[in-house]
Amino acid sequence: MDIRDLTVNINEISRTCEGCIGKDVLLTDSISAFIDSTIPYLYLPLPVCKRFESAFGIEWNESVQGYLVNDTLHEKLTNQNSNVTFTISNSSLGSSAPSVDITLPYAAFDLIAEPPLMRNRSRYFPLMRAANDSQYTLGRTFLQEAYLIADYERREFSVSQCSWTENSPQELIAIQSPDNPAALLGEKHHMSPATIAGTVIGSIMVAVALSLATWIVQVRRRRAKQPLKLKSGESNSEERAETSAELTTTEKAVEVDGASFRGHEIDGVAGHRRPELGDGSVAGQELAAAICSRELEASHAWPTEIGDKVVAACELPA
């Protein structure tokens, strides 16, 4: 059994031509041959090559190890318009496998060899004598007239006759990988309505989630850039500083050490800013240095309370 890839059974090779009666059978016993696009030749058994020699009038050239075709023979073969048909089948199924015919016109065998393959430019017939059955090969001469489709992942291939219909439309179909989810939907590789609907709904949900996440991030960034707002009832540092400068008659005088005293009294500096109070419900007054009616005594003792009454350190003018 041939374990090489792209191996087919050649069940028959026959030749027909214009003016010929019937067909010439060139191969009767089935053989296995390897399809190889890296070489131009057909490697066939010696008896088959002998029948080709008889049918086409070609001769083996020992010096070049091939079949050369001169101009006279080329003209004769062109006029005969011969066709060679290869009947092939699946080699793994044996004789019970269905077969397909691949027909090659004489033009497929009309090749030209140039240096360095040949010393001079010459026509040749691309047939080679195989030394044993491991050399049976169908090369590029065969593939000129055949379509070869190979799916190595599924270990399948097919061979069919080329179509030479003029202006026929081209149709290329990609072979999906077995690992591709689309391949699980069948040979037509189409998506069912349920699959399409699920794909659309999933796409919409992803888009909505992304939009929501983007909005949340933007809101948090805007809040981080805004200054902190004070709660109701709180005042800023400037208002607290102005309030602390005011003395009301309900406040108690504080005992201070004359050496370290940092008073809340406002000095009588002419350039001192007038504090503003609230919304105008309390009349603001400017404190002057002369309003204070008492001076610290030498003992530095400042009585804060006399009886039950609170004595202010300074009096506000009326």
Side-chain angles (χ1 to χ4, degrees):
M1 178 180 179
D2 198 327
I3 61 174
R4 294 179 297 177
D5 295 331
L6 308 180
T7 299
V8 296
N9 275 349
I10 304 177
N11 301 323
E12 182 182 274
I13 301 176
S14 61
R15 177 231 181 196
T16 59
C17 66
E18 292 182 2
C20 298
I21 299 175
K23 65 178 182 180
D24 297 326
V25 178
L26 307 178
L27 181 144
T28 55
D29 298 328
S30 177
I31 61 173
S32 293
F34 176 59
I35 300 176
D36 187 357
S37 62
T38 64
I39 60 174
Y41 307 106
L42 303 175
Y43 279 87
L44 297 174
L46 181 58
V48 176
C49 292
K50 291 290 186 180
R51 295 189 184 102
F52 266 92
E53 292 174 10
S54 175
F56 287 92
I58 56 178
E59 296 180 358
W60 179 256
N61 189 312
E62 288 289 343
S63 61
V64 299
Q65 292 291 296
Y67 294 95
L68 297 180
V69 177
N70 57 37
D71 292 340
T72 302
L73 180 60
H74 168 67
E75 185 178 356
K76 176 184 176 181
L77 295 176
T78 301
N79 293 333
Q80 286 180 347
N81 193 24
S82 298
N83 290 295
V84 178
T85 300
F86 290 76
T87 302
I88 61 175
S89 62
N90 190 333
S91 61
S92 63
L93 299 179
S95 58
S96 62
S99 61
V100 61
D101 291 341
I102 307 297
T103 300
L104 282 66
Y106 168 70
F109 297 92
D110 182 19
L111 302 182
I112 296 176
E114 296 180 342
L117 183 61
M118 299 287 292
R119 178 177 298 179
N120 299 314
R121 189 175 184 271
S122 305
R123 283 190 170 88
Y124 72 99
F125 197 93
L127 178 65
M128 299 294 284
R129 296 175 175 179
N132 51 61
D133 57 2
S134 66
Q135 291 185 346
Y136 300 160
T137 305
L138 300 177
R140 289 195 301 271
T141 298
F142 176 80
L143 291 174
Q144 288 182 96
E145 302 296 326
Y147 290 124
L148 174 63
I149 302 173
D151 183 356
Y152 283 96
E153 290 185 277
R154 295 179 178 85
R155 298 190 62 79
E156 298 175 351
F157 73 96
S158 63
V159 182
S160 56
Q161 179 74 49
C162 278
S163 173
W164 296 108
T165 304
E166 244 185 278
N167 300 321
S168 59
Q170 185 182 49
E171 184 179 3
L172 300 177
I173 301 175
I175 299 176
Q176 299 289 339
S177 170
D179 298 331
N180 188 340
L184 301 177
L185 299 178
E187 293 298 325
K188 294 184 179 180
H189 308 302
H190 66 277
M191 297 178 66
S192 64
T195 303
I196 296 174
T199 302
V200 172
I201 293 174
S203 302
I204 294 174
M205 293 180 66
V206 170
V208 171
L210 291 175
S211 301
L212 181 60
T214 303
W215 178 80
I216 292 174
V217 170
Q218 291 178 349
V219 169
R220 289 183 176 178
R221 287 179 178 175
R222 286 198 298 266
R223 288 182 178 177
K225 292 180 180 179
Q226 293 178 352
L228 291 175
K229 295 183 178 180
L230 299 176
K231 296 180 181 179
S232 60
E234 294 183 351
S235 60
N236 57 31
S237 59
E238 183 179 352
E239 293 175 347
R240 287 198 296 271
E242 293 173 354
T243 305
S244 64
E246 298 177 358
L247 295 176
T248 62
T249 57
T250 58
E251 291 179 339
K252 293 184 179 181
V254 181
E255 293 182 6
V256 295
D257 189 343
S260 60
F261 176 73
R262 299 183 63 187
H264 296 285
E265 294 181 359
I266 301 176
D267 295 335
V269 182
H272 184 71
R273 182 172 58 87
R274 175 178 298 181
E276 297 178 358
L277 299 176
D279 56 357
S281 60
V282 179
Q285 298 291 337
E286 189 175 9
L287 296 178
I291 296 178
C292 291
S293 60
R294 301 188 60 149
E295 295 180 355
L296 292 176
E297 297 178 357
S299 61
H300 301 288
W302 187 291
T304 59
E305 295 183 357
I306 301 176
D308 295 331
K309 295 182 179 180
V310 177
V311 179
C314 295
E315 293 181 355
L316 296 173

